[in-house]
Amino acid sequence: GRMGATEAFQLSDVCVQMVAEGALKAPTVDESLQGTRSMELTDPVVISGEETTKLDTVLLLVNTAMLSHVGLYSGGEDAPVGGSVKKSSGALLVKTRKRLLSALDRSNSVLKELCDFDVLLALDGMMSREDSEQLCLLVRKYARGQKKGTNLTPHLKLTLRSLLDN
């Protein structure tokens, strides 16, 4: 699969307690203050030995561990390690086109291959809006486990074949 790095944050227990006790003032909507990280407090608090009524909002967050996962539209465990699209343009790789063309000849295996958001996004840019919506509905049904009776229409098969042969 693909590797990436990101960080997630959640409100700290102290923040939740402060909200419950009404220690934080409701933020004022002021366009000139956009990007301000501090919040006003109803009562002064001591931070680093100094009394203040302003609190840096970063102090209200805690870093949270994230677990990697394989989602419905991540290409699954069989997804190619290098991905399915060119990183620079988002276009389908030649090997992806060949894999999809080969899967088109097998019954429903093309739907399994299409359960990859990057592939769907690349195809969306090549298809008409109606065809893309129809394809996405089929992929969603397939990804949610409705495999029986979820088949590409002859029109979609022909459209995909003509797009992938180029």
Side-chain angles (χ1 to χ4, degrees):
R2 290 169 227 128
M3 300 296 283
T6 190
E7 288 186 282
F9 297 89
Q10 70 182 35
L11 297 177
S12 68
D13 292 340
V14 171
C15 175
V16 173
Q17 182 181 356
M18 290 175 78
V19 170
E21 293 174 1
L24 299 175
K25 284 186 182 176
T28 56
V29 179
D30 185 353
E31 296 301 319
S32 66
L33 293 177
Q34 215 156 14
T36 301
R37 290 183 1 180
S38 60
M39 288 191 72
E40 292 286 328
L41 301 171
T42 55
D43 297 309
V45 294
V46 177
I47 298 176
S48 299
E50 291 184 33
E51 194 173 282
T52 182
T53 57
K54 284 190 180 221
L55 181 66
D56 188 336
T57 55
V58 172
L59 297 173
L60 301 175
L61 302 174
V62 289
N63 202 314
T64 304
M66 290 181 58
L67 304 175
S68 64
H69 72 285
V70 176
L72 293 179
Y73 304 106
S74 65
E77 294 173 358
D78 300 329
V81 174
S84 300
V85 298
K86 295 178 184 174
K87 292 190 186 335
S88 59
S89 65
L92 291 172
L93 296 172
V94 173
K95 66 181 181 179
T96 304
R97 288 176 181 264
K98 288 180 181 177
R99 194 175 71 248
L100 290 170
L101 278 169
S102 166
L104 269 173
D105 297 331
R106 299 187 306 274
S107 60
N108 267 353
S109 63
V110 71
L111 287 171
K112 182 179 180 185
E113 295 288 339
L114 290 172
C115 287
D116 182 329
F117 183 76
D118 291 331
V119 171
L120 286 175
L121 189 60
L123 288 172
D124 178 65
M126 301 162 56
M127 304 174 87
S128 72
R129 182 175 180 195
E130 295 79 23
D131 287 345
S132 181
E133 286 177 4
Q134 190 178 21
L135 182 64
C136 287
L137 284 173
L138 287 170
V139 169
R140 181 172 41 192
K141 280 177 71 176
Y142 184 87
R144 290 182 175 171
Q146 299 174 4
K147 294 172 175 44
K148 207 170 206 169
T150 305
N151 299 309
L152 291 179
T153 63
H155 170 75
L156 274 178
K157 275 188 178 182
L158 183 63
T159 301
L160 285 173
R161 193 172 302 284
S162 66
L163 292 172
L164 297 169
D165 271 336
N166 291 334

